Amino acid sequence: MKEWTEKERRRIFREEDRQELRELHETILNSRWRDQFHVQPVTGLMNDPNGFSYFNGKWQLFYQWFPFGGVHGMKHWYRVSSDDLVHWKNEGLALKPELLYENSGCYSGSGLPEKDTLYLAYTGNAKDYAKNRYQYQLLAKMDRYGRITKCEKPLIYPNPDYTEHQRDPKLFAYKDRYYILIGAQNPEKKGVMLLYSANSPEGTWQFDGELKVRGYETFGFMCECPCIERIGDKWILLFSPQGIEAEGDLYQQKYNNVYFIGDFDPEKLEFIPDGPYQELDRGFDFYAAQCASQEVYNDAAVLIGWGSCPDYTTPLTDEIGYSHIQTLPRLLTIEDGKLMQRPVPACESIKGEVLFEAKEGTILKDTLRGLMPETAVIHLNNPDLTSCELSLYSGNGKRGFEISYDRNTRKLTVDRTGMLNQFNTEYGTVRRVLLEDGLKSLEVYVDRSCVEIFVNDGEKVITSRNFPEPSEKLIRMGGSNIDLTIWKAQRTVEDDFVI
Ligand code: FRU
């Protein structure tokens, strides 16, 4: 991999760069791991989802973007849009760092639609000559034509009572008041969340204080990307705490993304959780998720996450000049006090022709003959009572990507040790998830570079990137009496060059 100099990483997009990026995009299109139904960067590196919202009759999604290669560098915002959360269209560059307050990047933030305006609150990451960091919460406004104007003055200046880590504003409205929740680090270097409020997004913002989660003091050494959302009469509070230690099968990623379900009292600056926090995803590659600001679903929220984690690399595509993906959007509901995460309804349209079908263990259709399709949606129901397994991408003497369930331990195991291309192995190659009530169903979305597994109708989700080689071409299923259907997955995400 090419060594990137600091100067190269600090590059900001200029009109003259279009041709270079067009060529980079053409090279990228030849990548065998370019996905078909996941949002991925037009060029360069993407990280967190930003400004996710329903505005002007469409879903709007922005992402953290370094345009010039598969490395973290000067962060811009790029925008994509969709009618249904599954068919995405590239819309182009949304924010580039040009103000003094953002001289080291337009960092993450959120969107709040109001009438003809989509408010975008984000962090201006600034550094002075001595490389001291200052983080400002800034505002930009997008109109119905997609034109974005920045407000030149920060909404919120660095809070002197916290360290330089103060970022990722979640802007939301509640009972006639506007709030911004940010992730921060206190002087003892512990992760906290700070709440600010105002009468209007462009009004005067006051610091209300730390948002305390009852029963907890702090979270790790830093809380990134907080998000708070109402689902029916409950609230969910999501954030990405850094520095939470692995605990048995839990918190296996370098950094993890967790949620609480509970009640929110802005006046008392308190979140009252119904139970301990839990991971949003039990897989290998998931972070910085945010919910869309929307009025489409009253009793549900729509969530999208970054299919990676800070400090992870994906050398095979980084080398080609692009890195990472966004996960499939998930519909979140609270059922019997539990958070359920299902693929959004339009994910049905990813399913193309049926390639394989078995009912109660009898094969009704098989056009695969043991060969792994390039993309697929796999549904498995009524699994065998003793065990069941699904192995993707085996061959060449390797075991591939294995999903298996053991009834005795009630654990579902996802093992990517048997893949030829290994990456980020220091955070483990196996995940184990205890299913209290056993395994009832699996819904697996397989794109060219990732697998997302929805277990028991959204009770647990497991996300994994994978970079299969052509020799890893077999699929194997085991277990008696299962109902299994495999569809070919269709392309839903456009991959044209728009900047
Ligand atoms: C999370 C994060 C955010 C920050 C952004 C910068 O991945 O570190 O806290 O705003 O990425 O790209």
Side-chain angles (χ1 to χ4, degrees), residues 46-176:
M46 73 164 31
N47 54 300
D48 314 354
N50 291 160
F52 191 25
S53 46
Y54 188 74
F55 170 66
N56 200 21
K58 279 189 190 306
W59 297 94
Q60 312 285 344
L61 173 68
F62 302 78
Y63 54 77
Q64 283 284 282
W65 183 43
F66 176 62
F68 302 103
V71 287
H72 286 276
M74 187 63 97
K75 293 294 160 66
H76 300 55
W77 280 35
Y78 188 93
R79 178 167 72 99
V80 293
S81 73
S82 171
D83 289 327
D84 63 0
L85 289 162
V86 171
H87 293 80
W88 291 98
K89 189 167 165 275
N90 285 340
E91 297 285 0
L93 173 67
L95 295 177
K96 67 172 185 172
E98 52 205 345
L99 305 174
L100 199 57
Y101 299 116
E102 55 189 24
N103 72 11
S104 291
C106 297
Y107 271 17
S108 285
S110 55
L112 178 67
E114 271 205 350
K115 298 197 190 89
D116 288 341
T117 305
L118 176 62
Y119 290 103
L120 300 169
Y122 66 102
T123 298
N125 187 47
K127 286 193 182 155
D128 65 14
Y129 285 107
K131 295 217 169 120
N132 296 311
R133 190 207 286 260
Y134 302 89
Q135 295 189 323
Y136 300 86
Q137 314 317 319
L138 307 176
L139 188 72
K141 294 188 281 184
M142 186 171 95
D143 69 13
R144 288 184 178 278
Y145 303 99
R147 293 177 303 213
I148 297 181
T149 38
K150 286 183 188 166
C151 303
E152 304 250 318
K153 228 174 109 245
L155 299 182
I156 300 171
Y157 287 81
N159 189 320
D161 295 333
Y162 295 86
T163 74
E164 74 274 24
H165 296 288
Q166 308 182 18
R167 56 180 172 269
D168 311 335
K170 165 68 185 175
L171 170 64
F172 61 104
Y174 178 54
K175 290 190 178 161
D176 296 331

Side-chain angles (χ1 to χ4, degrees), residues 198-458:
N199 285 328
S200 78
E202 291 175 82
T204 307
W205 285 85
Q206 70 178 49
F207 176 49
D208 294 339
E210 277 179 31
L211 176 70
K212 285 285 183 201
V213 179
R214 193 180 283 178
Y216 295 81
E217 278 301 312
T218 54
F219 301 95
F221 63 82
M222 170 65 189
C223 285
E224 294 193 317
C225 305
C227 178
I228 186 161
E229 209 61 45
R230 243 189 125 113
I231 300 184
D233 56 7
K234 280 283 165 191
W235 289 84
I236 51 168
L237 174 66
L238 332 167
F239 54 104
S240 297
Q242 300 190 308
I244 302 287
E245 295 289 317
E247 224 181 275
D249 296 333
L250 305 175
Y251 318 118
Q252 295 285 322
Q253 285 195 173
K254 167 146 196 191
Y255 302 125
N256 301 281
N257 195 170
V258 303
Y259 69 91
F260 282 112
I261 300 177
D263 298 299
F264 170 53
D265 186 341
E267 265 123 58
K268 293 205 182 105
L269 287 163
E270 201 181 20
F271 192 91
I272 306 107
D274 291 349
Y277 60 73
Q278 296 191 44
E279 284 168 276
L280 277 165
D281 195 285
R282 295 292 302 277
F284 302 90
D285 301 286
F286 189 89
Y287 196 72
Q290 69 170 230
C291 292
S293 183
Q294 49 93 28
E295 276 166 22
V296 180
Y297 297 103
N298 280 327
D299 291 341
V302 181
L303 176 105
I304 199 161
W306 176 31
S308 190
C309 189
D311 304 336
Y312 285 11
T313 57
T314 47
L316 288 157
T317 70
D318 300 350
E319 188 84 48
I320 301 170
Y322 75 102
S323 309
H324 312 312
I325 58 165
Q326 301 293 311
T327 66
L328 279 178
R330 305 175 183 175
L331 195 69
L332 308 187
T333 52
I334 298 173
E335 294 167 29
D336 297 328
K338 280 200 282 196
L339 187 75
M340 302 298 282
Q341 308 183 63
R342 299 188 176 94
V344 291
C347 285
E348 281 297 310
S349 65
I350 297 172
K351 294 177 187 162
E353 150 202 13
V354 173
L355 301 173
F356 180 96
E357 196 176 7
K359 279 255 159 11
E360 291 177 13
T362 307
I363 297 175
L364 306 178
K365 178 172 186 180
D366 182 6
T367 61
L368 292 174
R369 298 199 177 80
L371 292 182
M372 178 70 205
E374 197 184 30
T375 61
V377 182
I378 304 173
H379 277 211
L380 186 145
N381 284 310
N382 300 326
D384 182 277
L385 287 178
T386 46
S387 68
C388 102
E389 56 185 62
L390 184 63
S391 137
L392 314 178
Y393 306 119
S394 60
N396 203 11
K398 299 285 267 180
R399 289 179 292 110
F401 183 86
E402 298 180 297
I403 307 169
S404 58
Y405 176 68
D406 179 345
R407 183 191 162 206
N408 295 324
T409 56
R410 284 179 295 141
K411 281 193 184 179
L412 183 80
T413 302
V414 177
D415 186 349
R416 66 180 188 191
T417 320
M419 294 293 293
L420 276 171
N421 290 322
Q422 295 291 316
F423 53 103
N424 306 320
T425 50
E426 56 275 47
Y427 308 105
T429 56
V430 182
R431 295 289 188 262
R432 290 191 184 83
V433 181
L434 177 68
L435 303 175
E436 298 284 355
D437 303 321
L439 176 65
K440 292 178 211 114
S441 69
L442 290 178
E443 193 173 339
V444 186
Y445 286 80
V446 185
D447 208 340
R448 286 172 165 184
S449 82
C450 78
V451 176
E452 279 167 276
I453 308 166
F454 294 83
V455 186
N456 290 352
D457 196 24

